[in-house]
Amino acid sequence: MDQSISKKIALLNQTTLDSLAEVNILKIIERFTETGLKILGANFGFAWWKNPEDDKYKLAYKSPNTPYEPKLPREHGGNFMAEKNKTPIFVEKTIKENYEKKYDVSPYMESYAIIPIIYKNYLYGNLVICFKKEHIFTDEDKELSASLGNTTAQTIIIHRFIEQEHKALKKAEMLKYTWKLLKEEKLKTEFIANATHELRTPLAIIKGNVDLATKGDHKKLKSTKSALRAIDHEIKHLVKIISDLTLMTSSNVWESNSKIVYKKVNLKSLVAHVAVRSKALAYKNKISIIAKNIPNIFIFGDKKYLEKMLFNLVKNSITYNKKNGYTKITVEETKDNFVTINITDNGIGISKKDLPRIFERFYRANKSRSSYARTGLGLAIVKWIAEIHGGEVFVKSIKNKGSVFSVSLPIEKIKEI
Ligand code: ADP
């Protein structure tokens, strides 16, 4: 192949690649027609495009200097002949009689080529290249014309394939999004159902005790007092549930964590602070808190939430403990730039049956230990806080022996300012 043809074919191939960026098949034809016209040195040209829906021809492109309105391809005309034989037609000189009788060739052109756009036996349309003067088609012209038809067809195929892929991808994304919405909706509905249930119980107890106090025998001061005490207990419980619910919903637990403020947090002082806060409760329950040799590790997070997470775990290890038991807090740097906070107790432990469910919202394994402060939301909050910090929470527990809750969090390397 001589150099100029290979250069021209390379130009056609380049046009193939460029055309793939176009979103419109007609634009692709336009681009190729222009390249074809330029390569063959034609005066004007146009392209017929077969509509895949009804197999009818449409004028897809007309070069700006086309001096007349191309007529639709007719049976036995050049376009149909090219389609039938699946090879380009080259007419070097139009014949007058043919023009008048059969072919209806425009008086503006003396010479033309019809190049079928064919790929794997399917005809996508025709490129018509016209010359105002007689044109001798060289072998090079013929070779380029065949190349032009093929490349155009292949580009259209690739383009369609890409378009289908895009559509499939979009569909998959839509499905994923719908699924996410449905899941969120389900979570919300479950959450509201659970919350309503939890709020209803103390309200029913309050109502019962109010009835008792108002309708009962007022002289029996003792029973009135005990009813009021029960009401007080339930109101405190309601306040606790509402405060936990507010924490979970105000931060939009479902989607974004926009209210969370990430800053440098020193784990050593965080642990010390939580240990001090838990002292009174530990003293009341005769539990000792051990938090020694906590390393000076910084993580990146929201101090308020991290403290809440740690406090919930420490508080549980005190509540679900035995007399004279202990709560031990340790912190260790683990592999891959993570830090693990362990809260160990030698308390009542958790049964194998309850263990997989304790992080569920409102799940309580030891209902007998119920106090107004128990809402069954504590561990759900712990899990959520760990996750929004890019971490996880694990538990190991043996019934009657004790439990270890471990929170693993990523350590962000903080640049010194
Ligand atoms: P609650 O408000 O009931 O404490 P949590 O979500 O904090 O709710 O805990 C869920 C359940 O997990 C508790 O009811 C308790 O049965 C169990 N649990 C949590 N921490 C411990 C622990 N350290 N030892 C034994 N059981 C625990």
Side-chain angles (χ1 to χ4, degrees):
M1 199 189 286
D2 82 46
Q3 250 227 312
S4 70
I5 306 187
S6 59
K7 264 193 192 155
K8 286 174 184 175
I9 290 185
L11 171 66
L12 279 175
N13 287 338
Q14 186 54 50
T15 315
T16 308
L17 292 176
D18 293 349
S19 308
L20 287 173
E22 301 282 359
V23 282
N24 189 334
I25 289 181
L26 301 187
K27 282 244 165 83
I28 292 175
I29 294 184
E30 185 176 316
R31 196 177 274 239
F32 275 99
T33 317
E34 277 173 350
T35 320
L37 293 179
K38 225 155 84 192
I39 289 173
L40 299 182
N43 300 103
F44 60 93
F46 40 89
W48 293 107
W49 168 245
K50 240 179 158 187
N51 187 352
E53 270 146 38
D54 56 11
D55 244 18
K56 284 197 178 136
Y57 277 102
K58 250 169 62 180
L59 186 66
Y61 169 75
K62 191 172 86 172
S63 77
N65 47 350
T66 304
Y68 63 95
E69 196 55 39
K71 281 193 183 139
L72 262 179
R74 294 178 311 165
E75 230 169 302
H76 308 299
N79 283 284
F80 279 96
M81 296 303 278
E83 175 174 357
K84 210 169 136 198
N85 300 327
K86 295 198 170 71
T87 47
I89 287 180
F90 300 97
V91 175
E92 295 184 338
K93 181 151 178 56
T94 54
I95 302 162
K96 269 267 183 259
E97 305 126 57
N98 278 352
Y99 151 60
E100 275 160 358
K101 285 183 201 150
K102 274 208 272 176
Y103 295 114
D104 195 13
V105 171
S106 154
Y108 300 101
M109 67 180 181
E110 280 296 313
S111 177
Y112 63 93
I114 298 173
I115 304 159
I117 309 170
I118 290 177
Y119 185 73
K120 292 207 170 158
N121 274 337
Y122 184 80
L123 179 101
Y124 292 88
N126 286 319
L127 299 175
V128 186
I129 293 175
C130 308
F131 302 83
K132 283 183 181 160
K133 297 254 159 63
E134 213 177 300
H135 181 83
I136 309 293
F137 290 96
T138 61
D139 286 348
E140 181 186 319
D141 283 348
K142 288 182 181 167
E143 205 169 320
L144 282 171
S145 302
S147 207
L148 184 63
N150 277 341
T151 343
T152 314
Q154 279 173 31
T155 314
I156 291 170
I157 297 279
I158 298 170
H159 172 80
R160 281 207 176 149
F161 178 71
I162 293 172
E163 213 171 46
Q164 270 168 14
E165 285 281 287
H166 270 245
K167 273 189 196 150
L169 254 171
K170 262 198 193 141
K171 211 169 151 188
E173 263 167 29
M174 275 304 287
L175 271 173
K176 223 166 102 187
Y177 183 65
T178 317
W179 177 243
K180 191 174 156 251
L181 284 184
L182 280 173
K183 216 171 120 190
E184 274 168 16
E185 208 42 53
K186 192 172 166 267
L187 278 175
K188 277 184 198 170
T189 318
E190 269 175 24
F191 181 72
I192 291 166
N194 287 344
T196 318
H197 174 82
E198 290 303 311
L199 293 172
R200 221 173 250 151
T201 315
L203 282 175
I205 300 174
I206 291 173
K207 178 79 174 74
N209 281 291
V210 168
D211 287 349
L212 204 77
T214 50
K215 289 177 198 146
D217 186 351
H218 287 280
K219 280 171 201 147
K220 285 188 181 161
L221 198 62
K222 211 174 148 198
S223 65
T224 309
K225 264 193 174 168
S226 102
L228 286 174
R229 261 198 302 273
I231 291 171
D232 182 48
H233 181 93
E234 292 308 320
I235 286 174
K236 279 181 184 155
H237 185 53
L238 273 177
V239 169
K240 180 72 179 53
I241 294 180
I242 288 164
S243 117
D244 277 357
L245 285 177
T246 312
L247 175 91
M248 292 188 89
T249 49
S250 67
S251 329
N252 198 352
V253 64
W254 319 106
E255 279 170 54
S256 68
N257 304 308
S258 51
K259 289 197 179 153
I260 291 162
V261 185
Y262 290 89
K263 280 193 181 152
K264 197 172 161 180
V265 179
N266 185 341
L267 279 185
K268 189 179 170 127
S269 49
L270 189 84
V271 169
H273 185 65
V274 170
V276 169
R277 264 187 73 196
S278 317
K279 243 185 179 170
L281 183 68
Y283 180 76
K284 195 175 133 207
N285 290 269
K286 301 205 165 30
I287 308 293
S288 45
I289 299 180
I290 309 156
K292 283 182 193 151
N293 305 324
I294 306 293
N296 225 338
I297 295 176
F298 286 88
I299 65 163
F300 207 58
D302 191 313
K303 198 170 161 207
K304 183 169 85 264
Y305 284 99
L306 290 171
E307 188 181 320
K308 171 88 188 160
M309 178 184 79
L310 196 58
F311 185 70
N312 278 4
L313 291 172
V314 172
K315 197 175 65 177
N316 277 353
S317 71
I318 297 170
T319 310
Y320 301 108
N321 216 320
K322 297 171 191 162
K323 209 171 160 191
N324 298 321
Y326 67 80
T327 291
K328 192 172 167 193
I329 310 170
T330 55
V331 174
E332 53 181 345
E333 216 175 314
T334 41
K335 61 177 165 57
D336 301 331
N337 265 333
F338 269 73
V339 65
T340 303
I341 311 170
N342 301 301
I343 296 95
T344 311
D345 65 61
N346 58 346
I348 61 168
I350 304 160
S351 73
K352 276 190 183 159
K353 175 176 78 63
D354 290 320
L355 209 53
R357 300 200 55 192
I358 53 165
F359 291 100
E360 285 174 23
R361 282 189 289 259
F362 304 110
Y363 191 81
R364 266 167 290 174
N366 295 284
K367 301 221 168 58
S368 58
R369 292 212 170 203
S370 274
S371 82
Y372 70 83
R374 314 314 309 171
T375 62
L377 284 169
L379 287 179
I381 292 174
V382 167
K383 184 170 181 275
W384 168 63
I385 296 176
E387 282 171 3
I388 56 165
H389 283 83
E392 278 176 292
V393 56
F394 309 94
V395 59
K396 279 190 212 148
S397 186
I398 300 173
K399 187 91 182 141
N400 294 324
K401 287 235 161 109
S403 314
V404 186
F405 283 83
S406 306
V407 185
S408 163
L409 296 168
I411 306 175
E412 290 288 327
K413 289 282 169 216
I414 299 159
K415 286 187 206 110
E416 294 301 329
I417 304 164

